Amino acid sequence: MLGLDAPGAGADVTTVLHGDEVEGRGLDATETSYLHRIRLLGATGTVLMAVGALGAGAQPVLQNPVQGVRGLGLAARMPSASLTLAMTGTALVILSWLLLGRFAIGRRDEDGAPRRLSRSQLDRTLLLWIVPLVVAPPMFSKDVYSYLAQSEIAARGLDPYAIGPAGALGVDHVLTRTVPNIWRDTPAPYGPAFLWIGEKITHLTGENIVAGIFVHRLLALVGVALIVWALPRLARRCGVASVSALWLGAANPLLLFHLVAGIHNEALMLGLMLAGVELALRGVYVAESTTRLQVAGWLAAGTALIALSSMVKVPSLLALGFVGMALARRWGGTLRAVLAAAAVLAVGAGVVIVLVSWGSGLGLGWTKTLGTATEVRSWMSIPTLLGMGTGLGGVLLGLGDHTTAVLSITRPIAAFVAAVVTVRMLLAVLTGRIHPVGALGVSLGAIVLLFPVVQPWYLLWAVIPLAAWATRPVFRIPTIAFSSVVGMILMPNGGEYQPFVIVQASIVTIVVVGLLIVATRSRLPWRLQERTPPRPAETTGA
């Protein structure tokens, strides 16, 4: 049950979620033509999102660069129109992503061989969709303003782990004004590496909010670039087609909307973690010609990157455990091998953590604020949803609101279940039942779903690693559906709108998208063909 038994023929996590894929052939001429149009449709969507964000995005309270500007400032005075543009663009991006999936997951020729778009075709598509969001105002979240305020606190020599923006900077400070009220008196929940980088950004941009936003977005793009670099390599290591993994992981609307447009530091955390896992696994699964020095170099580099990612957000340190179990299996799979691997990786990670904590001047204060996010009650968290539902039921029955008491029960139980799943996956890696990348994704999935607070972008913690390993419909179909639905329902201002404004924008979005589908019914592959047509000559350009 705990994964200590030897691999067998029974249905386990690996057989349920994973199956090998081949890279496949390139697209034919007709499919390449479709790809061009899908790419253009998605780019149109991100442009509409960027324009709509001028009035419907998570704009700063002060230093709004479009406020009062002729033409650009008009969007802020037309909230319904701006929200409609943003929602229509969001819908077009999601539909384009779904259409692109037909060529990423692949369709089969008569001989059974799959046809997929090439890596370069997918890279160019992803780049085209990202560019408009890079120059857009922040969307879907105001967390970047917390980043700026907490970085200013560190730059002043104060302790961001002991005092919040309101206390350190003052409630009327330009950087405090746009921080959501719930976080104004809250210490920073992020690792010292992120705040150290943020401190340097503050020294560069000062109190200029717009400049600070764009530098933080560049930092997020570095993380996205690391994801795009590592994901196909991990996929090939797991026997999965690289374009399938990139489509589901890197081109996912949640990544585009929340890591690029929303500027969340999950981009840097995930990018460093995945790059570290890839480098470390090069030291685990080595060719006979590899020297010990090379093995040590790969392991050291991978360990350092994973440890550094945990200094952005701590959960990524879990990846080191799965690398350690894979290394222990290579060293014989005994208890002594487990202890030796744990010692080696712990020393390497400890050195990085101490250097970052000491070098940043922030010390170990980050260990005291790890539970800060639990102040929010999120309906996407299973234990929190159960607690809130039970509390609501008590109110309706006249028994009183016992939500807090119920949460004190459901959250520890959920944490215990997540710990059991993680231990089982670690042992399964040790016994060779599951690939470490898949085990990492499953464990992060359990942690995210059972975490006290789940934000939409937290789902990427599990989706991106699993995209490199899990290929079965039982994983892909729910992931595709959930990514599409969650990507569509969140408001682009990172807050709330009046219900009638949302209804108006939704109706117009449905009408516009419906008319677009009718107008392009013969120019885009909205419907799957029943029979595979004779294969024209292959083309490589796109």
Side-chain angles (χ1 to χ4, degrees):
M1 183 182 70
L2 291 177
L4 291 172
D5 49 329
D12 57 12
V13 174
T14 299
T15 57
V16 170
L17 296 180
H18 174 73
D20 287 345
E21 288 183 332
V22 296
E23 291 294 340
R25 299 167 176 164
L27 302 180
D28 60 34
T30 301
E31 291 165 335
T32 301
S33 178
Y34 280 146
L35 175 62
H36 281 296
R37 296 165 189 164
I38 292 170
R39 184 183 293 165
L40 181 60
L41 180 67
T44 302
T46 54
V47 169
L48 289 177
M49 289 177 64
V51 174
L54 295 175
Q59 301 279 23
V61 174
L62 302 176
Q63 297 186 15
N64 188 336
V66 301
Q67 188 172 6
V69 178
R70 182 176 298 178
L72 294 178
L74 184 63
R77 298 193 295 272
M78 302 173 62
S80 295
S82 297
L83 181 60
T84 300
L85 284 175
M87 290 181 66
T88 301
T90 299
L92 294 184
V93 173
I94 292 173
L95 289 174
S96 301
W97 178 66
L98 294 174
L99 290 175
L100 186 67
R102 294 184 174 178
F103 302 136
I105 300 299
R107 301 172 67 183
R108 295 188 178 275
D109 281 329
E110 294 178 351
D111 61 0
R115 302 195 305 274
R116 310 182 199 275
L117 75 166
S118 68
R119 170 69 192 278
S120 62
Q121 289 173 329
L122 183 56
D123 286 346
R124 289 197 293 272
T125 302
L126 181 59
L127 180 62
L128 185 64
W129 292 359
I130 283 178
V131 167
L133 298 178
V134 171
V135 298
M139 299 182 71
F140 303 107
S141 173
K142 296 180 180 179
D143 279 7
V144 66
Y145 301 112
S146 294
Y147 301 165
L148 293 173
Q150 290 156 1
S151 299
E152 173 67 19
I153 294 172
R156 291 186 177 190
L158 302 175
D159 186 359
Y161 298 121
I163 188 170
L169 307 178
V171 293
D172 292 326
H173 191 274
V174 63
L175 297 179
T176 305
R177 289 287 299 276
T178 312
V179 176
N181 290 335
I182 191 175
W183 304 124
R184 288 190 179 184
D185 295 305
T186 304
Y190 310 115
F194 181 71
L195 292 180
W196 197 7
I197 296 172
E199 182 181 342
K200 306 307 177 186
I201 293 175
T202 297
H203 288 313
L204 178 65
T205 62
E207 296 179 357
N208 188 317
I209 292 178
V210 175
I213 287 171
F214 279 105
V215 178
H216 270 280
R217 182 167 273 156
L218 290 176
L219 184 63
L221 290 176
V222 171
V224 172
L226 288 172
I227 292 172
V228 173
W229 177 84
L231 194 55
R233 288 167 172 80
L234 291 172
R236 286 194 292 269
R237 190 177 294 281
C238 297
V240 175
S242 58
V243 291
S244 298
L246 277 172
W247 170 77
L248 187 56
N252 193 299
L254 294 180
L255 184 146
L256 298 176
F257 298 165
H258 297 290
L259 302 195
V260 178
I263 324 179
H264 285 289
N265 56 11
E266 265 78 8
L268 186 61
M269 179 197 82
L270 290 170
L272 290 171
M273 181 190 76
L274 292 174
V277 170
E278 165 59 23
L279 294 181
L281 291 182
R282 292 183 182 184
V284 175
Y285 304 113
V286 296
E288 294 182 359
S289 59
T290 306
T291 65
R292 289 186 177 182
L293 182 60
Q294 289 174 318
V295 170
W298 290 127
L299 287 173
T303 300
L305 286 182
I306 294 172
L308 188 60
S309 75
S310 73
M311 293 294 93
V312 177
K313 278 195 169 181
V314 174
S316 63
L317 190 62
L318 182 65
L320 205 61
F322 293 97
V323 170
M325 283 300 192
L327 182 62
R329 175 172 173 78
R330 180 195 163 200
W331 286 351
T334 63
L335 178 60
R336 183 177 180 179
V338 171
L339 295 176
V344 169
L345 298 184
V347 169
V351 169
V352 173
I353 292 172
V354 169
L355 286 177
V356 171
S357 299
W358 173 78
S360 64
L362 297 172
L364 298 176
W366 56 272
T367 60
K368 303 176 182 179
T369 61
L370 297 178
T372 299
T374 58
E375 296 183 12
V376 178
R377 293 181 178 179
S378 169
W379 62 269
M380 295 178 65
S381 165
I382 293 176
T384 302
L385 181 62
L386 290 174
M388 294 170 63
T390 304
L392 178 60
V395 172
L396 295 177
L397 294 173
L399 302 176
D401 186 359
H402 300 286
T403 301
T404 301
V406 176
L407 287 176
S408 67
I409 298 173
T410 59
R411 286 179 169 178
I413 292 175
F416 174 76
V417 173
V420 170
V421 172
T422 301
V423 171
R424 187 187 189 284
M425 290 297 101
L426 287 168
L427 296 174
V429 172
L430 181 64
T431 56
R433 294 181 63 89
I434 188 172
H435 195 281
V437 173
L440 172 63
V442 172
S443 298
L444 286 174
I447 290 171
V448 167
L449 294 178
L450 297 173
F451 200 63
V453 177
V454 179
Q455 301 290 3
W457 52 93
Y458 288 7
L459 299 172
L460 293 171
W461 298 5
V463 168
I464 293 180
L466 284 175
W469 176 78
T471 59
R472 302 295 189 190
V474 70
F475 164 72
R476 280 180 172 170
I477 291 176
T479 300
I480 292 167
F482 201 79
S483 299
S484 302
V485 172
V486 173
M488 192 68 231
I489 64 176
L490 296 179
M491 292 296 100
N493 68 341
E496 299 178 353
Y497 277 95
Q498 294 294 327
F500 73 91
V501 176
I502 298 175
V503 171
Q504 290 175 345
S506 299
I507 292 173
V508 176
T509 298
I510 292 172
V511 171
V512 171
V513 171
L515 291 175
L516 181 64
I517 292 175
V518 172
T520 59
R521 62 187 183 278
S522 60
R523 299 181 62 83
L524 288 170
W526 296 111
R527 293 179 297 176
L528 283 172
Q529 296 178 343
E530 295 295 329
R531 302 176 64 181
T532 303
R535 180 175 175 80
E538 293 185 5
T539 61
T540 57

